[in-house]
């Protein structure tokens, strides 16, 4: 009945088109818009799925609707309902995943023409398909699923994974797979604990994209997941292939891994090596990370030692100084002498642009038990001399508001 109504609507649509082509008047002929759009078929669909339950029947109606090009809206509605009404049925997830392999570029989008573009398009579809199966495994594992169904779902997923791995290998052999696809493959495999396959993809990726920091990071991720003993060796290899200034993310990843897996001495050795290798703007982030790690791992004493060792190693961020000031203030015996030292060093670097530093320095002298309020006037005039343009105006306004509040 459902199919018949769709066929009837299609027949009427063709008739109407013929009349219009022949420039005949169709006003007096009976072509209601609802019938032409397949509204009767939609009513049949809605009534039938309310009485006949199950994903299998639902999919059978969708398969019929997909035979009729004019019924795109109806197809979309049935497809959306399938996912809403039958989330806990493995058949739904399998259907959705298979459909991702068949969805072509949207109308209006540029169609892939070259071999490489087609391979990329296939890769994207395979990605979407695997993402659906991955979501299925998460969703179905939390529900009441009968063991046979679960086995079917896992078997299908494994079958898909094997197919996608085969597709990956073919694309890799043809050197058609872009860098981002490698990353997506590795992430997918790691998420599902396929470590051997993930390493295979990561090795291929670093061979093909030897100067890509992202690929080396993905390989590192795989080795960490695998608890490999070769991590230090990987870094040495990476630093041979990569330009030093691009390596900041790798150094940070290495230090973060070391913090959880190695001794304090080993981690500090990594930071020290990194400081020798990374210069310029990238070193700003590295110094902030190094100071954070020092406080986390060795407390204030360690953080102060690291600060002292770096205090002449420009460039800095304002945060670098604000961190050490905060660490000092968190101590039971917060020393005003140390705070003055930190503020003075910060102002040497940022005193011409950062009005907040000057204001906070003044507040510290006013509020600290060992502060010297008599110093505030001198700090104010130093600020007025150093701050430039709008920064000076902002400082004057903030200082006036603070004085009014303080009084």
């Amino acid at each position: 009945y459902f199919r018949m109504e769709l066929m009837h609507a299609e027949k009427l649509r063709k008739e109407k088109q013929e009349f219009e082509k022949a420039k005949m008047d169709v006003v007096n002929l009976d072509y209601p818009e609802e019938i032409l759009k397949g509204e009767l078929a939609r009513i049949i669909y809605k009534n039938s799925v309310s009485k006949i339950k199950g994903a299998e029947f639902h999919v059978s109606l969708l398969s019929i609707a997909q035979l009729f090009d004019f019924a795109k809206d109806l197809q979309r509605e049935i497809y959306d309902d399938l996912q809403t009404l039958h989330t806990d049925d493995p058949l739904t997830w399998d259907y959705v995943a298979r459909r991702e392999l068949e969805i072509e570029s949207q109308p209006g989008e540029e169609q892939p023409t070259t071999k490489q573009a087609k391979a990329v398009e296939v890769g994207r579809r395979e990605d979407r398909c695997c993402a659906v199966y991955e979501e299925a495994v998460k969703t179905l594992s939390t529900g009441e699923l009968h063991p046979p169904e679960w086995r079917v779902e896992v078997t299908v997923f494994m079958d898909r994974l094997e197919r996608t791995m085969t597709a990956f290998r073919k694309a890799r052999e043809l050197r058609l797979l872009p860098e981002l696809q490698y990353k997506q493959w590795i992430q997918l495999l790691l998420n599902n604990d396929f470590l051997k396959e993930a390493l295979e993809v990561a090795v291929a990726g670093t061979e093909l994209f030897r100067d890509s920091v992202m690929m080396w990071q993905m390989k590192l991720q795989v080795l960490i997941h695998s608890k490999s003993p070769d991590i230090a060796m990987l870094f040495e290899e990476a630093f041979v292939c990569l330009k030093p200034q691009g390596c900041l993310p790798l150094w940070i990843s290495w230090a973060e891994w070391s913090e959880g897996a190695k001794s304090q001495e080993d981690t500090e050795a990594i930071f020290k090596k990194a400081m020798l290798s990374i210069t310029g703007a990238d070193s700003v982030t590295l110094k902030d990370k190094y100071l954070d790690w020092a406080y986390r791992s060795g407390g204030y004493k360690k953080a102060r030692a690291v600060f002292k060792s770096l205090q002449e190693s420009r460039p800095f961020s304002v945060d670098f100084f604000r961190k050490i000031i905060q660490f000092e203030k968190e101590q039971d015996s917060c020393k005003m002498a140390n705070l003055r030292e930190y503020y003075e060093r910060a102002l040497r670097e940022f005193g011409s642009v950062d009005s907040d530093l000057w204001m906070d320095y003044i507040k510290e002298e006013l509020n600290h038990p060992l502060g010297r309020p008599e110093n505030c006037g001198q700090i104010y005039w130093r600020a007025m001399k150093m701050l430039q343009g709008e920064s000076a105006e902002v400082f004057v306004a903030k200082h006036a508001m603070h004085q009014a509040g303080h009084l």
Side-chain angles (χ1 to χ4, degrees), residues 346-358:
L347 290 167
R348 192 170 67 178
E349 308 297 326
F350 301 102
S352 61
V353 291
D354 196 317
S355 59
D356 284 342
L357 272 174
W358 290 103

Side-chain angles (χ1 to χ4, degrees), residues 15-32:
E15 276 181 14
K16 186 183 175 194
Q17 280 174 354
E18 291 300 320
F19 281 125
E20 285 170 345
K21 269 187 194 171
K23 295 188 167 49
M24 291 176 66
D25 186 11
V26 294
V27 174
N28 297 323
L29 296 168
D30 190 18
Y31 292 115

Side-chain angles (χ1 to χ4, degrees), residues 79 105 107 135 172 286 322 332 344 362 394 402 405:
Y79 183 67
S105 300
E135 185 62 28
R172 191 189 81 196
L286 188 60
R322 288 210 171 272
D332 292 334
E344 290 295 341
I362 288 170
V394 170
H402 179 262

Side-chain angles (χ1 to χ4, degrees), residues 180-312:
L180 189 58
Q181 293 292 119
Y182 276 88
K183 180 181 179 178
Q184 290 168 340
W185 277 113
I186 295 165
Q187 203 59 65
L188 174 69
L189 294 164
L190 280 180
N191 289 348
N192 291 283
D193 286 330
F194 294 108
L195 299 178
K196 183 183 166 202
E197 291 84 353
L199 186 58
E200 178 189 338
V201 178
V203 167
T206 49
E207 283 173 1
L208 193 55
F209 303 101
R210 288 189 71 75
D211 59 352
S212 164
V213 173
M214 182 176 78
M215 282 313 312
W216 286 100
Q217 271 197 295
M218 292 310 296
K219 189 173 176 183
L220 166 68
Q221 232 178 301
V222 176
L223 292 178
I224 288 172
H225 270 72
S226 312
K227 296 187 168 50
S228 166
D230 301 328
I231 290 173
M233 203 186 305
L234 166 77
F235 279 105
E236 299 303 338
E237 187 186 350
F239 295 141
V240 168
C241 300
L242 299 168
K243 291 175 183 170
Q245 285 313 106
C247 287
L248 176 65
L250 270 180
W251 282 109
I252 290 171
S253 296
W254 192 8
E256 285 173 352
W257 165 77
S258 178
E259 185 177 354
K262 298 283 185 178
S263 69
Q264 192 186 64
E265 290 76 16
D266 289 332
T267 307
E268 182 152 33
I270 292 167
F271 274 115
K272 284 181 174 175
K273 274 187 191 175
M275 287 300 306
L276 292 172
S277 174
I278 304 290
T279 57
D282 280 356
S283 73
V284 171
T285 306
L286 188 60
K287 287 168 204 144
D288 288 355
K289 295 275 185 189
Y290 189 6
L291 192 61
D292 275 333
W293 166 81
Y295 192 55
R296 242 184 355 255
S297 63
Y300 176 71
K301 188 179 175 186
K302 182 70 186 167
R304 182 163 166 81
V306 166
F307 176 84
K308 287 279 190 187
S309 72
L310 298 176
Q311 64 188 10
E312 299 297 339

Side-chain angles (χ1 to χ4, degrees), residues 391-406:
S391 298
E393 292 168 27
V394 170
F395 172 71
V396 170
K398 284 180 180 174
H399 188 268
M401 283 174 65
H402 179 262
Q403 273 200 316
H406 197 63

Side-chain angles (χ1 to χ4, degrees), residues 23-49:
K23 295 188 167 49
M24 291 176 66
D25 186 11
V26 294
V27 174
N28 297 323
L29 296 168
D30 190 18
Y31 292 115
E33 191 61 31
E34 288 80 5
I35 302 294
L36 294 173
K37 283 166 64 180
E39 186 59 26
L40 277 178
R42 182 179 174 277
I43 292 166
I44 293 162
Y45 153 70
K46 281 292 186 188
N47 286 340
S48 63
V49 294

